[in-house]
Amino acid sequence: MRIACPFCGERENGEFTYLGDASPKRPNFAVDSGESPEGVEDAFYDYVYLRDNVAGYMREYWYHGGGCRSWLIAERNTVTHEFRSVTAAPGVGAAKPVQAGE
Amino acid sequence: MSGYSGSEPLGRTAALEGTTPSARSQAASASQSHRLRSGGLIDRQQPLQFSFDGKVMSGFAGDTLASALVANGVKLVARSFKYHRPRGIITAGSEEPSALVEMRSGARKEPNTRATTQELYDGLVAQSQNRWPSLRRDFMSINQLAAPIFVAGFYYKTFMWPAKFWEKVYEPLIRRAAGLGKSAELPDPDHYDKAWAHCDVLVIGGGAAGLAAALAAGRAGSRVILVEEDSRLGGRLLSDGGEIDGMHAEEWVRRTVDELASLANVRIMVRTALFGVYDGGVYAALERVNDHVPLPGPHQVRQRVWRIVAKRSVVTAGAIERPVVFPGNDRPGVMMASAVRTYVHRFAAMPGRKVALFTNNDDGWRTVEAVQQAGGDIAAVIDPRGKVPAEYQALAELSDLRVFSGGVSDVKGGVDGVRGVVVTDNNGRTQQIDADCLAVSGGWNPNVGLSCFHRGRPVWRDDIAAFVPGDSPKGMTTAGAANGEFSLGACLRDGHTAGAAAAAECGASGNAGEASEAGDEVYAISPLWQVKAKGKAFVDFQHDVTASDVTLAQREGFESVEHLKRYTTLGMATDQGKTSNITGLAIMAEATGRTIPQTGTTIYRPPYAPVAIGALAGHHRDENFHAWRLTPSHHWAAARGAVFVDTGLWKRAQWYPQPGEKDWIESVTREVLAVRNGVGFCDVSTLGKVDVRGADAGTFLDRVYINAFSSLAVGKARYGLMLREDGIVMDDGTTSRIAEDHYFLTTTTAKAGPVMAHLEFCRQVLWPELDVQLSSASDQWAQFSIAGPNTRKLLQELVDPSEDMSNEGFPFMGAREVKLRGGVTARLFRISFSGEIAFEISVPARYGGAMAQNLMIAGRDLGVTPYGTEALGVMRIEKGHVAGPELNGTTTADDLGLGKMMSKKKDFIGRVMAGREALTAPDRQVVVGIKPLDQKRRLRSGAHVVPKGAIPGPETDQGYVTSVCYSPMMEQWIGLGLVERGRERFGEIVRIHDPLRSEDYEAEICNPVFYDPEGARQRG
């Protein structure tokens, strides 16, 4: 399998590690008076554990640890292993003016 | 066939020495009773000697072992897998199911080598397999008498009872009786390599279609790799000849290869078998670099595994001729018709003097002319279709051929091979024909394997009675015989078109030229899979699967081809059923009344051909199994005689033995006491080190650690603990603030990589808005821990006199840059893992060795002692510090006694999930100290903790011992453990149960901080 890193070009998959589904977003919350807000545990439970078992294209995280150390978001077909796109995670490079949890 | 000499082996190299090459060549020819006087792609000026089962014979350069055996009149070469039946050579290619031999000897012994692909070299030594005491008189051939119990599924039926006999009696018996060769039991002395290659167009197979494809793609200007498993390009053209563009096929091959070789953008790789097709256009091939010579030259590898990345591939892997199933079809001397032609035409070796031909298709008829031109007799042609093909009528009349309409119903003969062929004609009349060789053709199967490795299903074509590729993997096309195109003209056109198209798809714009031209000979076939008659008729020669095994499987309900395969082991041998799978499923189709396409094929999987594990491992074996990392002071430590331990990829000094020390405990105890009473140092460069910089560095660390770092003062260090998002502890380490916007973070040795990836994830994915950058500095710094009451005295010898090293000037948990004597700037951290006054000093990695030397010189009067990871571990256990065995992926911060560090005022990774009920339950197993009541007793890690008086078991189990050591300070074995409600139970006596080592004793649960619980020493 070959992965086209946007920084390093097409590289062998042994340079990368797989993390999984890129769709769950880490819940964003403010801490008041030392306690976590109501409902945040359920949100975290979903974020940490619940995953769809996708047959077909899926957005997923790959880490180019054997190369530029970028976290990448790849659209990969889980049935054919074909990649449709590979893009850099939002924070690759310098800090970006985006909102947390986006 | 006049003019053959007797079969007396020549034998003696000495006898040949001093003779002229031509004399040697004549002498060599004389030994080869079945060698033609002229012709063949062999070099008669290069005679080669070899031995088979100890008998010395000769052949010529250009021979395979199989062709040399044929030339020497050898028919019996093997005993079969189950029944030990005598077997010969069946094919002339890599599909060979029968002629498997043991090559070489000693450490280089290699079993199950196909004689048909092994090139001959001078001094080659081969043995037959699976026989005792000899190939001719094989004792185990009595298995044939017991054949009824060896039918399909016999493992499951015959040896059912008594059950306990299976492992001790039946299995060893079966394993001894059945099988193939024996592998070497010594380490392989040869080297193997792995390499990458990249191209636009990969052409797989160098026959007519492959050469045409490579030429078109090469002329067009694309980067081409042409792989061919044979040592020579040309494929069937080398065996069947023909005329292309008005010239002999061999001349066309020569010109085409010359042109390909002249193109800088074309790479030709012979002796290279493609065996796997993987995702994204990655292909795997095995190059047999030096299997055709006695020994690889100095610094050369024996085999090389290639991973080839190609934008497009053209499979021109040809087709495999299939046998017909009839009684006696496995007798030595029964051979594929195409193989007979190969031996005759390419190798000038006659498989028999009187050849009978059994064919159901026009292509098989080519054999008549080939045998006759070589001076052999065609004893008869048996063709069930009942008519001589138009193309061959003149030939049949001219040579007065005996042609039978019918099939072969038995083969007479024994260990010496075929003596006669029994023909049953279409009217049921039976007749025996004298023959010493039977050439068989049941038609051709396109080589669909490579096109099906991505679960593609081949498609049945009635006109050629064979499967052709269906959905090929992306970027792959198939051409020529592999695509069901069986005429030479069509192969050339198909190959050219596919090669030109593949090049164009890769953006090549050059002129691909015109396709070469050749005739379009007719390939007519009437399917015939089996001649039903009494006697053993083999489908799978390598696994001894008969036609009746297939029908038995059907009767017993194993009708699906996947079940058929596993129940009978059809196609599961090293040849992967290249000559047997389609025939087996055709017989199953008939038995079940379904069509062949309805029956379907089994799933094709790599490897296409056997690949030695050694070749896949390449250089990654023994000490190079994985890469190793050496600490900056490694060579210094090695020179002092340190014992090293593997921790991950690192080699770390474990202890430094001194003369007279009787065991490692004595060495380690000396090192611990030297630190606690004086001063010692230890290389801790293996810790992961990360520079964290940016305006938001403090905020970032607040979110990844459970405790706060934004509040850490510049010039100070703090111990930090980080969790996984599920609330379990991930890692720990100290982090220092070097400047407002600059922190220096350390991780454990084991987690350096994963923590870096995690931090990058947090920065790049979770909080892209933070102004923070990370860089790994693990390899940039050599870091030493210096510990003991005399640490300050030692450091004063090293640092510039202007540096204030007093307790006030450099307090506990201080961290700052210092200038060393000589001008090098170092980072100094006053942190302690041992519980003594201790500093960690970091210098640029290149000064690591010098630092160790300087510490020894500076500390000579203080008795400075280098210590290893073992003493480090002893001192951390004495201090109750947790490490890997406690940070084991199941423990929470509170389990480790560090729950109070969790900040309530902020969100951090793992905060919410760590609050879950089960992770905060009061009966969790938490870190405690454990000491055996018997002070002489050695505590062992892994032992279970159960309440005193309880019967050990899953219900009473309350935890286990995680870390142990002999404590020089406590003067007994002590340990840490994870024990239910442990912190409430200090002083309680528990039972330590160790079923693995059959130990059972009592111990006391105690405070994990055994030594200096007030922590006064490290602050002094």
Side-chain angles (χ1 to χ4, degrees):
Chain A
M1 190 188 284
R2 310 274 294 170
I3 299 173
C5 172
F7 303 103
C8 308
E10 191 185 277
R11 311 293 301 171
E12 201 255 332
N13 74 336
E15 294 184 4
F16 300 81
T17 38
Y18 176 76
L19 184 70
D21 194 348
S23 28
K25 296 278 173 259
R26 188 173 192 272
N28 195 14
F29 67 98
V31 178
D32 300 320
S33 68
E35 292 303 318
S36 305
E38 195 77 0
V40 77
E41 192 175 312
D42 288 344
F44 264 95
Y45 177 79
D46 284 1
Y47 169 67
V48 172
Y49 292 111
L50 296 189
R51 293 290 182 277
D52 291 334
N53 188 11
V54 177
Y57 277 99
M58 172 174 168
R59 291 175 74 246
E60 50 194 27
Y61 289 123
W62 288 82
Y63 176 57
H64 196 188
C68 59
R69 287 212 323 263
S70 296
W71 277 92
L72 306 173
I73 298 170
E75 282 184 291
R76 185 183 64 105
N77 188 319
T78 58
V79 178
T80 64
H81 296 198
E82 247 177 90
F83 286 85
R84 195 153 64 189
S85 71
V86 184
T87 52
V92 170
K96 303 284 191 313
V98 287
Q99 289 303 306
E102 184 184 284
Chain B
M1 303 296 281
S2 59
Y4 289 125
S5 69
S7 60
E8 177 67 20
L10 196 69
R12 301 154 299 273
T13 312
L16 293 173
E17 277 173 7
T19 55
T20 63
S22 70
R24 275 168 56 186
S25 134
Q26 278 170 18
S29 300
S31 89
Q32 297 169 38
S33 60
H34 286 60
R35 181 73 78 183
L36 298 173
R37 290 188 153 182
S38 63
L41 297 167
I42 49 170
D43 182 356
R44 290 169 202 260
Q45 297 307 308
Q46 278 196 66
L48 307 172
Q49 287 202 336
F50 71 101
S51 82
F52 178 63
D53 277 351
K55 186 178 170 187
V56 179
M57 292 176 258
S58 63
F60 292 114
D63 263 326
T64 62
L65 174 57
S67 71
L69 288 168
V70 169
N72 282 272
V74 175
K75 295 208 166 149
L76 173 69
V77 299
R79 286 282 176 170
S80 74
F81 184 68
K82 251 192 326 194
Y83 303 119
H84 291 249
R85 285 169 69 98
R87 290 278 168 83
I89 298 161
I90 295 178
T91 74
S94 64
E95 71 271 30
E96 176 63 31
S98 169
L100 304 184
V101 299
E102 211 167 78
M103 278 291 298
R104 305 172 201 259
S105 57
R108 289 192 165 86
K109 187 163 80 171
E110 187 171 348
N112 309 334
T113 307
R114 290 153 292 174
T116 51
T117 58
Q118 175 61 53
E119 289 173 61
L120 199 66
Y121 56 81
D122 205 33
L124 181 150
V125 176
Q127 308 276 338
S128 59
Q129 304 183 150
N130 196 31
R131 82 289 190 268
W132 185 85
S134 76
L135 189 56
R136 287 183 70 85
R137 297 157 68 82
D138 178 10
F139 175 73
M140 293 308 290
S141 60
I142 57 157
N143 276 8
Q144 290 182 69
L145 302 177
I149 66 163
F150 285 115
V151 295
F154 76 99
Y155 299 102
Y156 315 118
K157 296 168 182 164
T158 316
F159 304 103
M160 286 295 289
W161 181 90
K164 65 179 174 188
F165 269 39
W166 176 253
E167 223 172 277
K168 291 255 159 59
V169 182
Y170 296 143
E171 190 182 326
L173 250 169
I174 293 166
R175 286 201 186 279
R176 206 170 313 137
L180 298 169
K182 290 187 178 64
S183 57
E185 288 174 5
L186 297 165
D188 190 336
D190 289 325
H191 294 280
Y192 299 82
D193 200 5
K194 289 187 274 195
W196 285 92
H198 299 256
C199 64
D200 294 323
V201 181
L202 171 65
V203 180
I204 302 159
L211 288 172
L215 193 59
R219 281 174 174 170
S222 60
R223 291 184 308 151
V224 178
I225 293 178
L226 169 62
V227 295
E228 166 56 52
E229 64 178 347
D230 204 323
S231 58
R232 251 175 203 278
L233 294 164
R236 288 302 300 169
L237 295 175
L238 305 179
S239 301
D240 285 336
E243 196 180 284
I244 303 172
D245 288 346
M247 61 186 113
H248 282 300
E250 279 159 29
E251 174 63 12
W252 181 86
V253 170
R254 199 183 60 74
R255 289 191 189 190
T256 306
V257 172
D258 282 351
E259 185 177 346
L260 287 171
S262 75
L263 296 173
N265 53 323
V266 176
R267 177 175 190 173
I268 300 171
M269 297 171 72
V270 293
R271 301 190 174 102
T272 304
L274 203 105
F275 67 81
V277 180
Y278 303 96
D279 294 312
V282 180
Y283 299 79
L286 179 73
E287 182 185 8
R288 289 170 294 117
V289 185
N290 276 309
D291 276 353
H292 63 293
V293 293
L295 284 178
H299 311 297
Q300 287 205 22
V301 298
R302 180 152 166 221
Q303 298 177 343
R304 182 179 291 125
V305 167
W306 286 93
R307 279 181 283 182
I308 302 171
V309 182
K311 294 195 183 88
R312 293 285 183 276
S313 67
V314 181
V315 177
T316 44
I320 292 173
E321 196 171 25
R322 63 195 181 213
V324 178
V325 180
F326 53 84
N329 66 340
D330 67 327
R331 290 241 187 267
V334 178
M335 196 179 267
M336 300 316 303
S338 59
V340 169
R341 300 199 297 276
T342 297
Y343 290 119
V344 169
H345 192 93
R346 175 174 172 182
F347 297 109
M350 283 300 274
R353 294 184 165 91
K354 289 180 74 172
V355 179
L357 171 67
F358 179 22
T359 179
N360 66 340
N361 64 85
D362 294 6
D363 186 73
W365 279 80
R366 289 171 185 265
T367 317
V368 173
E369 211 171 353
V371 169
Q372 287 178 342
Q373 279 180 357
D377 294 332
I378 292 292
V381 179
I382 304 105
D383 188 329
R385 296 177 300 174
K387 209 171 99 193
V388 178
E391 216 178 318
Y392 294 94
Q393 265 162 13
L395 179 69
E397 278 166 30
L398 188 72
S399 52
D400 202 15
L401 274 188
R402 292 174 77 188
V403 180
F404 292 89
S405 307
V408 174
S409 55
D410 200 5
V411 180
K412 300 291 182 194
V415 290
D416 290 322
V418 174
R419 284 195 297 271
V421 172
V422 179
V423 176
T424 303
D425 69 20
N426 289 345
N427 300 319
R429 284 190 302 260
T430 291
Q431 191 172 345
Q432 185 168 334
I433 298 158
D434 280 352
D436 60 357
C437 173
L438 173 60
V440 180
S441 179
W444 289 83
N445 290 323
N447 225 330
V448 298
L450 297 175
S451 67
C452 294
F453 278 165
H454 289 189
R455 293 247 168 164
R457 291 290 187 175
V459 177
W460 181 256
R461 252 175 69 181
D462 267 330
D463 60 329
I464 57 169
F467 283 104
V468 294
D471 297 332
S472 292
K474 205 180 171 201
M476 178 190 281
T477 52
T478 312
N483 199 27
E485 298 292 346
F486 289 158
S487 82
L488 182 51
C491 281
L492 292 167
R493 287 191 301 275
D494 204 22
H496 178 85
T497 307
E505 283 164 16
C506 296
S509 53
N511 183 359
E514 297 295 317
S516 290
E517 286 178 14
D520 283 312
E521 63 277 16
V522 176
Y523 175 77
I525 179 170
S526 164
L528 172 73
W529 306 101
Q530 182 185 8
V531 177
K532 287 178 186 161
K534 195 172 171 332
K536 275 203 180 317
F538 287 87
V539 180
D540 181 335
F541 297 100
Q542 204 183 341
H543 260 171
D544 266 1
V545 179
T546 62
S548 59
D549 286 330
V550 176
T551 48
L552 178 73
Q554 186 268 330
R555 285 200 305 279
E556 298 191 344
F558 298 95
E559 290 187 354
S560 138
V561 281
E562 297 289 358
H563 289 158
L564 167 68
K565 169 179 165 177
R566 285 155 184 85
Y567 194 59
T568 63
T569 72
L570 171 75
M572 289 172 71
T574 59
D575 68 337
Q576 295 278 291
K578 289 184 178 60
T579 56
S580 61
N581 280 343
I582 305 293
T583 310
L585 75 90
I587 293 171
M588 177 58 85
E590 193 203 318
T592 53
R594 292 175 297 181
T595 65
I596 290 169
Q598 278 169 347
T599 306
T601 58
T602 52
I603 291 166
Y604 291 85
R605 295 185 182 88
Y608 174 76
V611 183
I613 297 291
L616 294 173
H619 293 293
H620 296 280
R621 52 177 281 190
D622 304 324
E623 74 274 16
N624 297 318
F625 181 64
H626 58 62
W628 13 288
R629 301 176 75 180
L630 302 181
T631 64
S633 67
H634 182 87
H635 298 298
W636 172 85
R640 288 190 67 88
V643 172
F644 293 96
V645 60
D646 287 344
T647 50
L649 301 183
W650 290 101
K651 296 205 176 293
R652 299 189 71 181
Q654 199 172 10
W655 64 83
Y656 296 80
Q658 291 283 307
E661 286 172 350
K662 66 179 188 304
D663 61 12
W664 64 274
I665 294 179
E666 199 176 323
S667 304
V668 171
T669 300
R670 170 183 50 76
E671 290 173 12
V672 170
L673 291 172
V675 172
R676 296 245 186 261
N677 297 324
V679 63
F681 68 92
C682 175
D683 189 328
V684 293
S685 308
T686 60
L687 297 177
K689 306 176 206 72
V690 186
D691 255 347
V692 184
R693 291 179 192 241
D696 296 327
T699 312
F700 177 77
L701 293 175
D702 283 348
R703 293 187 191 178
V704 296
Y705 279 116
I706 64 172
N707 46 333
F709 278 87
S710 53
S711 58
L712 183 67
V714 172
K716 292 293 253 181
R718 183 171 285 169
Y719 175 75
L721 194 69
M722 58 176 78
L723 306 185
R724 311 190 307 216
E725 195 68 275
D726 66 358
I728 298 294
V729 172
M730 175 188 268
D731 199 48
D732 69 348
T734 51
T735 292
S736 315
R737 194 164 195 174
I738 290 175
E740 241 350 272
D741 59 352
H742 183 188
Y743 291 81
F744 182 69
L745 178 157
T746 65
T747 75
T748 59
T749 299
K751 286 286 174 65
V755 166
M756 189 69 199
H758 169 71
L759 295 176
E760 289 286 11
F761 182 81
C762 293
R763 185 185 77 78
Q764 298 177 28
V765 176
L766 298 183
W767 308 305
E769 71 282 5
L770 293 184
D771 178 8
V772 60
Q773 292 294 326
L774 308 170
S775 57
S776 169
S778 298
D779 288 340
Q780 275 65 34
W781 295 98
Q783 194 153 321
F784 293 86
S785 171
I786 307 167
N790 290 333
T791 295
R792 212 174 270 125
K793 285 185 198 157
L794 175 57
L795 274 175
Q796 271 157 357
E797 299 290 318
L798 290 171
V799 302
D800 194 88
S802 63
E803 301 284 351
D804 182 359
M805 295 301 294
S806 68
N807 203 18
E808 297 72 36
F810 211 129
F812 187 57
M813 298 310 273
R816 68 161 197 259
E817 282 188 348
V818 295
K819 212 154 111 197
L820 301 186
R821 290 170 197 260
V824 173
T825 302
R827 287 177 181 174
L828 203 54
F829 311 91
R830 193 172 159 193
I831 52 182
S832 178
F833 200 41
S834 57
E836 302 298 329
I837 296 178
F839 286 82
E840 284 186 13
I841 186 164
S842 281
V843 289
R846 62 185 179 279
Y847 297 127
M851 185 50 136
Q853 284 170 4
N854 278 312
L855 283 164
M856 290 306 288
I857 294 164
R860 190 178 296 145
D861 295 342
L862 300 168
V864 67
T865 301
Y867 64 97
T869 55
E870 210 58 46
L872 188 79
V874 169
M875 290 188 278
R876 74 103 184 161
I877 294 170
E878 288 181 333
K879 285 296 292 175
H881 288 309
V882 290
E886 291 79 37
L887 275 65
N888 61 9
T890 69
T891 46
T892 65
D894 191 57
D895 296 344
L896 303 178
L898 304 170
K900 289 199 180 70
M901 281 172 63
M902 290 170 77
S903 167
K904 288 243 172 208
K905 295 183 206 142
K906 55 165 188 155
D907 177 24
F908 55 84
I909 298 280
R911 169 192 164 114
V912 174
M913 289 284 94
R916 285 180 290 167
E917 200 178 336
L919 295 190
T920 53
D923 61 348
R924 285 188 63 84
Q925 297 179 356
V926 300
V927 169
V928 294
I930 294 173
K931 48 185 180 188
L933 291 189
D934 174 0
Q935 294 190 358
K936 299 241 164 10
R937 161 71 71 176
R938 182 168 178 172
L939 189 62
R940 301 272 193 178
S941 59
H944 288 265
V945 176
V946 293
K948 191 181 172 184
I951 296 164
E955 302 80 20
T956 53
D957 191 63
Q958 292 187 323
Y960 61 102
V961 181
T962 52
S963 303
V964 298
C965 70
Y966 174 75
S967 164
M969 307 318 289
M970 308 304 290
E971 294 183 320
Q972 73 163 106
W973 283 82
I974 59 169
L976 301 179
L978 286 164
V979 177
E980 238 172 76
R981 297 180 188 273
R983 283 194 288 270
E984 304 161 17
R985 296 167 65 180
F986 291 172
E988 183 182 325
I989 309 300
V990 291
R991 180 173 177 185
I992 304 295
H993 182 65
D994 190 351
L996 203 60
R997 304 179 186 95
S998 305
E999 291 181 347
D1000 208 307
Y1001 45 92
E1002 288 182 345
E1004 183 190 333
I1005 294 181
C1006 59
N1007 184 335
V1009 188
F1010 291 89
Y1011 180 66
D1012 186 26
E1014 300 77 29
R1017 295 179 67 89
Q1018 64 195 15
R1019 293 171 184 276

